[in-house]
Amino acid sequence: MPRKGLTSRLKQLRSLREPPAPHAGDEAGTSRDLRIPGFSRIGDYTHYRREFIETEGPPVSLSGLLISAGQDPEELLFFDLETSGLSSGAGTLAFLAGFGCFRGGAFLLEQFFLSDYPGEAEFLEKIRERLVQGPYFVSYNGRSFDASLLKTRGILHGINFNFSRHLDLLYISRRLWRDALGSCSLGNIERNILRLERDGDLPGREVPDRWFSFLRSADPRLLEDIFRHHRQDILSLAMLWKHLEELFLDPFSYESRGDADPRALGLHLISRGDERGEELLRLAWHKGDFRAGRLLALQYKRRGRTDSALDLWLSMASGADPGVYEELAKYYEHRAGDYDVALRWATLGMGAAVRSTASETRIREFRRRIRRLEKKIQGQA
């Protein structure tokens, strides 16, 4: 039984390394002769098209919070892939690569299409040639998927891909909108942040099956929905980058832009050393966002503004939050030297921790603090 299982596994591994059986179209020579409407042939299996789309162009100035404020926006290359599978595992390859860049008052959008497996090396080399013209790459989940897949497939064909300067907008989108939206898929960002609705769009999960159907039939009409879906992905990527730059240039416009989480926006600005983040946290706190108040107090504490932090903690104390009680206990023990008041806050904190089903570790920390304070009080007596 073990030997039979090993033999079966070896056959499976061998099949992954061998090229797929030729399609019916290949035997007749039609795969290489295939014509894709709107595309030009630039290789035996690679097709290409480009279009200029009227646009307002990039922001007049950059915020410096995504890329350097001195970066030329026309050097940004927005890119996205459509692949034969939704994972980056063995056997998955890219068959459609799209690139976009600002050119004056227009947006240049390019698509490279692979019509069959034997042309993968040729297709990847065409992509590499385009990528070297873009010194700064912008993607959505491209760091962990698109770029990783190209690197992996490139290794199989001796083609090197370099993404050293790469901005992946997925991470900043999660930071800003995950709490408000839950899912930060590009489609969800389009609907809720960019206010964009796709009409009759092919769902991304159906793209691989549609490509396989094309491989079996060699019918280019099956590709039209894929190209349209992919085109919008690239346009949405550029729209999202522009939206973020404009938001960071004027973060207090978040309400008019539909960005409903000033706490997340303020926290991001603070992480980049932008003092406007504190004001956003204050706005969120005054609107009833308790977490924003805690983050603002922590920011005050880090910057040595302990009086401001104390005022904020005292105003939040009625919320029965163990973390607030802990900060007050620390302040009165270590800074004010008032052990009686510190003990009162520590006792309230332990009670709140027990009621909120906090971790046992945190409850033990409160108990240790209470015992220490009781000893200090006895020593004073």
Side-chain angles (χ1 to χ4, degrees), residues 325-366:
Y325 291 140
E326 182 181 23
E327 292 293 348
L328 286 167
K330 288 178 180 178
Y331 175 85
Y332 281 102
E333 178 183 3
H334 300 299
R335 296 192 66 86
D338 191 332
Y339 303 142
D340 290 305
V341 175
L343 178 60
R344 185 166 71 249
W345 288 121
T347 303
L348 288 171
M350 189 177 74
V354 171
R355 289 191 299 274
S356 65
T357 64
S359 67
E360 188 61 34
T361 299
R362 186 159 207 178
I363 294 173
R364 285 198 301 268
E365 289 174 353
F366 272 116

Side-chain angles (χ1 to χ4, degrees), residues 78 102 107 169 233-243:
F78 302 89
F102 292 103
F107 187 76
L169 296 182
D233 280 349
I234 302 167
L235 292 173
S236 294
L237 179 59
M239 290 171 61
L240 177 58
W241 172 79
K242 184 178 178 181
H243 177 96

Side-chain angles (χ1 to χ4, degrees), residues 27 39 69 119 129 147 164 196 224 230 234 251 340 349 366:
E27 295 173 358
F39 282 74
E129 292 172 0
S164 57
L196 173 66
E224 294 174 2
H230 183 238
I234 302 167
D340 290 305
F366 272 116

Side-chain angles (χ1 to χ4, degrees), residues 10 55 78 106 192 220 227 261 351 366 371:
L10 288 173
T55 177
F78 302 89
N192 294 282
F227 295 148
D261 196 346
F366 272 116
R371 286 196 296 268

Side-chain angles (χ1 to χ4, degrees), residues 20-28 30-31 115-118 212 214-217:
H23 304 296
D26 293 339
E27 295 173 358
T30 57
S31 181
S115 62
D116 210 343
Y117 283 93
F212 289 130
F214 159 76
L215 291 180
R216 290 189 293 269
S217 67

